[in-house]
Amino acid sequence: MSAMISLRNVTKRYNSRRGSVLSLDRVSLDIEQGEFVTIVGPSGCGKSTMLNIMAGLITPTSGDALVNGRPVDGPGPERGMIFQQYALFPWLTAQQNVEFGLRIQGMSSRKRKETARHYLDLVGLAKFADALPKELSGGMKQRCAIARAYAVNPEILLMDEPFGALDAMTRVHMQDDLLATWQQERRTCAFITHDVEEAVYLATRVVIMSPHPGRIARIVDVPLEYPRTEEMRLSPEFAELRTAIWRDVHHSADAAAG
Ligand code: ADP
Ligand code: MG
């Protein structure tokens, strides 16, 4: 069986007036169905480029991106994307924003309402269903964008630092919710973060990238069972993994700096 997501020798070069940047250099990665892969690495190492290639928003300069064995040709409904910057329609309420993708799927109005309510409730926004984005805080807008992505129930969730703008408490809460839904529904998840603790807490595997040019430096299996708990976060095993990965990330950042 082929992997759910497969990058084969993917290279991406950006050409602009200021010159040419090799953002990804022959990156190969297989993500199996139901895996939760996190991607860490210093700023500018090509994490977003890699995820956007999986999403079909960026075309590789060379190499192949496959989803379910088929070449990626633009975005598709089986891949949900959550960005760091909440992308909500400003003229729609929170509820209408969450319903938007369901409407496209042709879901009945009643089922749409129910589903939107369920996911707004999950992210703690039930009371704000009728609020417009401008009436929500940054963290609340992000939670709404997350509810919208969960609601359409895609097979694959591609997340680019989705919790980066949230306060620490909300962040832990969102991590646990994400893992709970992942355990129930076994979506395939690719999740970028610059927070090594978050990377370890969530993942079955952590992909560590190094910059200039962007390459996969190392892939680390996380041998902790699910559900993950706060006790695990405080365990020596967790600390060891976190420290080793943190060193790798900082080592590759220092090496790139000079
Ligand atoms: P990360 O998400 O890890 O911070 P990115 O994928 O955003 O990294 O960027 C990787 C490299 O490619 C960086 O050096 C960045 O400046 C460059 N880059 C990203 N997008 C563009 C673009 N549209 N045009 C030119 N260079 C880009
Ligand atoms: Mg990025």
Side-chain angles (χ1 to χ4, degrees):
M1 223 184 76
S2 59
M4 190 63 135
I5 302 172
S6 187
L7 301 180
R8 300 200 182 138
N9 269 312
V10 166
T11 292
K12 176 67 190 179
R13 183 178 282 284
Y14 289 108
N15 293 305
S16 68
R17 271 181 304 161
R18 293 192 299 129
S20 161
V21 179
L22 187 56
S23 169
L24 289 178
D25 184 28
R26 289 163 292 161
V27 167
S28 293
L29 176 68
D30 277 346
I31 302 179
E32 301 299 327
Q33 175 170 30
E35 258 202 295
F36 199 129
V37 168
T38 54
I39 302 158
V40 292
S43 174
C45 68
K47 302 183 294 298
S48 295
T49 301
M50 186 158 104
L51 206 76
N52 282 318
I53 287 173
M54 294 175 187
L57 299 170
I58 291 178
T59 315
T61 308
S62 63
D64 297 304
L66 307 168
V67 166
N68 257 327
R70 285 186 299 275
V72 171
D73 178 24
E78 80 288 0
R79 279 162 289 148
M81 185 96 185
I82 304 176
F83 301 96
Q84 180 170 19
Q85 274 303 327
Y86 29 87
L88 298 176
F89 298 114
W91 60 87
L92 299 180
T93 64
Q95 165 118 10
Q96 289 164 340
N97 264 286
V98 177
E99 282 190 37
F100 186 82
L102 306 174
R103 192 185 290 266
I104 290 172
Q105 288 183 338
M107 192 181 273
S108 76
S109 152
R110 208 182 125 179
K111 188 86 207 317
R112 233 162 46 213
K113 268 203 183 69
E114 256 173 45
T115 308
R117 287 283 174 173
H118 170 78
Y119 285 98
L120 282 170
D121 192 31
L122 181 75
V123 299
L125 284 181
K127 290 205 185 102
F128 295 87
D130 297 325
L132 288 166
K134 67 173 183 211
E135 299 166 317
L136 302 174
S137 73
M140 289 158 88
K141 277 187 269 214
Q142 184 62 348
R143 275 142 64 201
C144 184
I146 289 166
R148 189 177 57 184
Y150 288 178
V152 299
N153 198 19
E155 255 183 294
I156 298 171
L157 270 180
L158 303 172
M159 296 169 272
D160 194 348
E161 306 201 27
F163 304 154
L166 303 178
D167 62 88
M169 289 273 288
T170 310
R171 192 177 179 127
V172 166
H173 180 71
M174 297 300 293
Q175 288 167 358
D176 286 334
D177 278 346
L178 175 58
L179 283 184
T181 50
W182 174 76
Q183 272 199 279
Q184 276 167 33
E185 295 163 10
R186 285 289 162 165
R187 293 186 180 108
T188 307
C189 291
F191 184 111
I192 296 174
T193 177
H194 58 253
D195 179 345
V196 173
E197 162 141 354
E198 179 169 76
V200 175
Y201 189 68
L202 295 174
T204 53
R205 280 197 298 164
V206 181
V207 173
I208 305 164
M209 295 186 66
S210 60
H212 310 298
R215 288 193 179 132
I216 292 177
R218 197 156 77 94
I219 298 180
V220 178
D221 285 313
V222 181
L224 303 168
E225 56 193 36
Y226 293 89
R228 303 267 162 95
T229 61
E230 286 310 301
E231 289 87 82
M232 278 184 203
R233 243 192 240 273
L234 302 171
S235 70
E237 206 181 354
F238 190 97
E240 229 168 78
L241 276 166
R242 195 187 52 208
T243 307
I245 293 169
W246 194 90
R247 282 209 181 103
D248 269 17
V249 170
H250 287 261
H251 173 75
S252 71
D254 293 346

